[in-house]
Amino acid sequence: MDKITLSHGSGGTLMHKLIDSVIMKEFDNNILRQKKDSAILTIGKTRIAFTTDSYVVNPIFFPGGDIGSLAVHGTVNDLSVCGARPAHLSFGLIIEEGLDKSILEKIVRSAAAAAEKAGVSIVTGDTKVVERGSCDKIFINTSGLGEIYYDKLSPDRIKAGDKVIVSGPIGEHAISVLSGREGIEFKTKVKSDSAALNRLIEKVLKASGTSVKFMRDPTRGGVATTLNEITASHKFGIALDEKAVPVSDGVGQACELLGFDPLYLACEGRVIFIAAAKEADKILKIIRKDKNGKRANIIGEITKEEKGKVCLNTAAGGRRLVDMLSGEQLPRIC
Amino acid sequence: MDKITLSHGSGGTLMHKLIDSVIMKEFDNNILRQKKDSAILTIGKTRIAFTTDSYVVNPIFFPGGDIGSLAVHGTVNDLSVCGARPAHLSFGLIIEEGLDKSILEKIVRSAAAAAEKAGVSIVTGDTKVVERGSCDKIFINTSGLGEIYYDKLSPDRIKAGDKVIVSGPIGEHAISVLSGREGIEFKTKVKSDSAALNRLIEKVLKASGTSVKFMRDPTRGGVATTLNEITASHKFGIALDEKAVPVSDGVGQACELLGFDPLYLACEGRVIFIAAAKEADKILKIIRKDKNGKRANIIGEITKEEKGKVCLNTAAGGRRLVDMLSGEQLPRIC
């Protein structure tokens, strides 16, 4: 009998297949079929984005963040990459019986601080408690709403020559969670990049006319999976330049030691922009002025060749295909 | 050290205290402070309701429903009792590794059927998988949006003489979940009342002018807890008439056998209306015409005496206070 495995939740091809064969099949509708980070709806005359995410990260506290702030950042970012201004969040808790109240307080306080910093309100919530052993400490669902203020995001606008920009070093969230979980210390300490990107994104969009054509935050499955999602079923490919991909020393060391490829590691405070070539340098400058974007870089470009695929020009001078993984390297990363 | 207990999630005073002392304290804002089933927001010029609920019911299949349809009904009802027309739902899954794919399919199919029947679309979702033993089979979060079409709901409009109407027999959901969980069979089989009430409520509101002053669905903690939430910190009391409270034979037998009070048992397809006395009979007729409202009844009225309290005139001719429980009789009822 078919069983659900950890890989079904990891952002790779197995998850996409499960979603297509079970979820999309049953819930089929036009909005869901867009497969965006948020659903785009019209309420009255206002276009809004609506999104949901459940957070099951293990451990609940990790270098650079915790499940509370992560739950706020993740949903704020899912709205932001759809051109929406995040405004209202829900906060649903599932708590394991026996959790210290002080831990709950710490997590809620962290979520509240993250919400305040991002300028969003938590307006509705729910609290469930399950028996000891029926969940792992605490799970949080945040759903979010925001008005669309930039409606020029569409993969159909992407064309050969457009640039792929990443807002900072990749994989820091995944490595920080891994080190927190396993108690591994790397030579250079890695902190999660978990952060709300709504302000950074808004600055870019306001300053660059209609040049930004697409955005996505490379969470589960990392940059490789996100770029594959963008090229999939489209008539363009992406050529990445390995030398240009920002990777911090700590992440680089961890990948060398553990055999991970940073392109597949989750970020929680990075965004990928696809933008017209002529504006790419200007956009890069704007991103780099933001405290979450100091090490942003142009990491590749859209190509006519190898339609639907992502290729990497390696630092060693070779060229290889960057596929979507079937599962993921690390479960419960968010 | 203070620990979270099952009672903190059961809808009673302990949950209210936890929410006040931890959640409300940190997330404090005007919308959250309304403590409604949904947050009421203005998007553009449109007033909307926004709500969230996580479902952890055990067992996931019970007589009359399952976690999939329950997750849709519950969120549809939370929007409906705020005078909103439910439109868009999110669907967040947390799945335990090893769950049969066929069970997931059955649950998703049931949720899809419930959504279609209620006339709502599931527009965005999320799927997480956790290791075996890190959650109990499957948890679902649904958040929902709907436009407000009736804005006359306020406890401030309630006055002495107003009638309390319940749309059907109470406690069926709780007893059906209990019988499913423990494998107990009662002489008369009890099926959950789980149902979407948006159409029933809309019929009532459209036909009764501004007579309906307040609505709430008596889920966790049952009718007793819901009515105590309504009277709390208000200058009126509620007098209930025990003989008038509809209780099915099966629920009555189960309560006798197990020592439960039906007033504290959760419903998932019932709504309580507080309405002007002169329109109460008309409203009752409208409810009874709906297939989910056949056994609706006027169960009490608003009193000037015993401010903030709920009193029961018992079938035996006595009178007793109906308090909010501190915990609940049954954990993981929804």
Side-chain angles (χ1 to χ4, degrees):
Chain A
M1 197 179 292
D2 268 9
K3 304 274 187 191
I4 303 296
T5 66
L6 285 172
S7 293
H8 281 116
S10 300
T13 53
L14 274 173
M15 186 174 100
H16 283 83
K17 274 185 199 160
L18 181 75
I19 289 174
D20 284 340
S21 68
V22 181
I23 316 280
M24 300 294 279
K25 194 181 117 197
E26 296 298 339
F27 292 155
D28 193 41
N29 62 59
N30 282 334
I31 301 169
L32 198 61
R33 225 175 292 128
Q34 297 168 348
K35 282 195 184 181
K36 292 188 180 170
D37 283 325
S38 307
I40 310 296
L41 310 169
T42 304
I43 301 260
K45 287 178 179 172
T46 310
R47 304 257 296 156
I48 67 159
F50 174 33
T51 192
T52 193
D53 254 312
S54 295
Y55 295 85
V56 298
V57 64
N58 170 26
I60 53 178
F61 298 97
F62 47 83
D66 60 71
I67 192 170
S69 52
L70 180 68
V72 170
H73 295 156
T75 292
V76 163
N77 293 346
D78 276 349
L79 294 170
S80 304
V81 297
C82 291
R85 189 173 291 119
H88 303 294
L89 261 56
S90 66
F91 197 80
L93 287 166
I94 301 174
I95 308 170
E96 185 183 15
E97 175 191 20
L99 185 79
D100 287 347
K101 201 179 155 202
S102 63
I103 290 179
L104 176 66
E105 283 168 339
K106 206 170 155 186
I107 288 168
V108 171
R109 203 172 301 134
S110 167
E116 196 182 345
K117 207 170 159 191
V120 299
S121 302
I122 289 167
V123 293
T124 188
D126 174 53
T127 306
K128 295 288 189 313
V129 183
V130 297
E131 308 88 333
R132 207 180 286 262
S134 291
C135 94
D136 189 6
K137 297 181 195 73
I138 187 166
F139 299 152
I140 301 177
N141 177 285
T142 47
S143 300
L145 297 180
E147 272 187 45
I148 303 280
Y149 66 94
Y150 182 87
D151 63 357
K152 303 293 175 200
L153 299 169
S154 164
D156 297 335
R157 291 186 61 224
I158 298 174
K159 60 179 192 183
D162 287 349
K163 298 296 181 185
V164 180
I165 306 170
V166 69
S167 66
I170 65 174
E172 294 176 347
H173 177 70
I175 296 300
S176 96
V177 168
L178 182 73
S179 73
R181 188 187 304 171
E182 309 291 350
I184 306 172
E185 290 271 339
F186 302 108
K187 211 163 66 187
T188 311
K189 194 164 170 104
V190 179
K191 278 172 71 173
S192 169
D193 54 300
S194 177
L197 298 171
N198 48 333
R199 296 182 206 276
L200 181 155
I201 289 172
E202 194 163 342
K203 276 187 266 178
V204 169
L205 296 181
K206 283 199 165 160
S208 59
T210 60
S211 312
V212 174
K213 301 179 175 184
F214 203 76
M215 292 185 284
R216 191 157 270 189
D217 51 335
T219 55
R220 278 183 288 178
V223 169
T225 301
T226 299
L227 294 181
N228 269 286
E229 284 168 1
I230 299 174
T231 55
S233 72
H234 282 102
K235 290 183 177 167
F236 55 80
I238 291 177
L240 284 180
D241 175 9
E242 191 173 27
K243 285 199 300 284
V245 177
V247 177
S248 68
D249 291 347
V251 170
Q253 289 157 14
C255 284
E256 219 164 279
L257 195 71
L258 302 166
F260 289 139
D261 181 341
L263 287 173
Y264 291 97
L265 295 178
C267 312
E268 287 290 346
R270 303 296 175 222
V271 50
I272 290 173
F273 296 91
I274 311 235
K278 65 175 175 42
E279 292 286 313
D281 286 328
K282 181 178 160 189
I283 290 170
L284 192 60
K285 270 186 201 155
I286 298 168
I287 302 173
R288 284 184 178 167
K289 272 190 203 155
D290 189 282
K291 70 175 188 310
N292 292 310
K294 283 178 190 158
R295 290 193 56 198
N297 218 3
I298 296 171
I299 61 170
E301 69 173 28
I302 303 298
T303 59
K304 265 188 233 168
E305 298 80 41
E306 290 149 333
K307 283 171 192 155
K309 294 196 166 55
V310 179
C311 291
L312 182 75
N313 295 313
T314 66
R319 189 168 166 83
R320 69 171 171 87
L321 200 66
V322 178
D323 232 339
M324 201 183 276
L325 290 187
S326 65
E328 212 223 328
Q329 299 164 320
L330 299 165
R332 292 183 63 190
I333 210 68
C334 62
Chain B
M1 197 180 293
D2 268 9
K3 303 273 187 189
I4 302 296
T5 66
L6 285 172
S7 292
H8 282 115
S10 300
T13 53
L14 274 174
M15 186 173 101
H16 283 83
K17 274 184 200 162
L18 181 74
I19 289 173
D20 284 340
S21 68
V22 181
I23 315 279
M24 301 294 279
K25 195 181 116 198
E26 297 297 339
F27 292 155
D28 193 41
N29 61 61
N30 282 334
I31 300 168
L32 198 61
R33 226 175 292 127
Q34 297 170 348
K35 281 196 183 181
K36 292 189 179 170
D37 283 328
S38 307
I40 310 297
L41 312 169
T42 305
I43 301 260
K45 289 179 178 171
T46 310
R47 304 258 295 157
I48 68 158
F50 174 35
T51 192
T52 193
D53 254 312
S54 295
Y55 295 86
V56 298
V57 64
N58 169 27
I60 52 178
F61 298 97
F62 47 82
D66 59 71
I67 192 171
S69 52
L70 180 67
V72 171
H73 295 155
T75 292
V76 163
N77 294 345
D78 276 348
L79 294 170
S80 305
V81 296
C82 291
R85 190 173 290 118
H88 303 294
L89 261 55
S90 66
F91 197 79
L93 287 165
I94 301 174
I95 308 171
E96 185 183 14
E97 174 191 22
L99 185 79
D100 287 347
K101 201 178 154 201
S102 63
I103 290 179
L104 175 66
E105 283 168 338
K106 208 170 155 186
I107 288 167
V108 172
R109 204 172 299 133
S110 167
E116 196 180 348
K117 208 169 159 192
V120 298
S121 302
I122 290 167
V123 294
T124 189
D126 174 53
T127 305
K128 294 289 189 317
V129 182
V130 296
E131 309 88 335
R132 207 180 287 261
S134 291
C135 94
D136 190 5
K137 296 181 194 75
I138 186 166
F139 299 152
I140 301 178
N141 177 284
T142 47
S143 301
L145 298 180
E147 271 187 47
I148 302 281
Y149 65 94
Y150 182 88
D151 62 359
K152 304 292 174 200
L153 299 169
S154 165
D156 297 335
R157 290 186 62 225
I158 298 175
K159 59 179 193 184
D162 287 349
K163 299 296 182 184
V164 180
I165 306 170
V166 68
S167 66
I170 65 175
E172 293 176 345
H173 178 69
I175 297 298
S176 96
V177 168
L178 182 73
S179 73
R181 189 187 305 171
E182 309 291 350
I184 306 171
E185 289 270 339
F186 303 106
K187 212 164 67 187
T188 312
K189 193 165 171 104
V190 179
K191 278 171 71 172
S192 169
D193 54 299
S194 176
L197 297 172
N198 50 331
R199 296 182 206 279
L200 180 155
I201 288 172
E202 194 162 343
K203 276 187 269 178
V204 169
L205 295 181
K206 283 200 166 159
S208 59
T210 61
S211 312
V212 174
K213 301 178 176 184
F214 203 77
M215 294 186 284
R216 192 157 267 188
D217 51 337
T219 55
R220 278 184 287 177
V223 169
T225 301
T226 299
L227 293 183
N228 270 286
E229 285 169 0
I230 299 174
T231 55
S233 72
H234 282 101
K235 290 182 177 169
F236 55 79
I238 290 177
L240 284 180
D241 175 9
E242 189 172 27
K243 287 199 299 288
V245 177
V247 176
S248 68
D249 291 348
V251 169
Q253 289 157 16
C255 283
E256 219 164 280
L257 195 70
L258 302 167
F260 288 138
D261 181 341
L263 286 173
Y264 291 95
L265 295 178
C267 313
E268 287 290 347
R270 304 296 175 224
V271 51
I272 289 172
F273 296 90
I274 311 237
K278 64 175 176 45
E279 291 286 314
D281 286 329
K282 182 178 157 188
I283 290 170
L284 193 60
K285 269 186 203 155
I286 298 168
I287 303 173
R288 284 182 176 169
K289 272 190 201 154
D290 188 282
K291 69 175 189 312
N292 292 310
K294 283 178 190 158
R295 290 194 55 199
N297 217 6
I298 296 172
I299 61 170
E301 70 173 30
I302 303 298
T303 59
K304 266 187 234 169
E305 298 80 41
E306 290 148 334
K307 283 170 192 156
K309 295 196 164 54
V310 179
C311 290
L312 182 75
N313 295 313
T314 66
R319 188 168 167 84
R320 68 170 172 88
L321 199 67
V322 178
D323 232 340
M324 201 183 277
L325 290 187
S326 66
E328 213 223 331
Q329 299 164 319
L330 299 164
R332 291 184 63 190
I333 210 69
C334 62

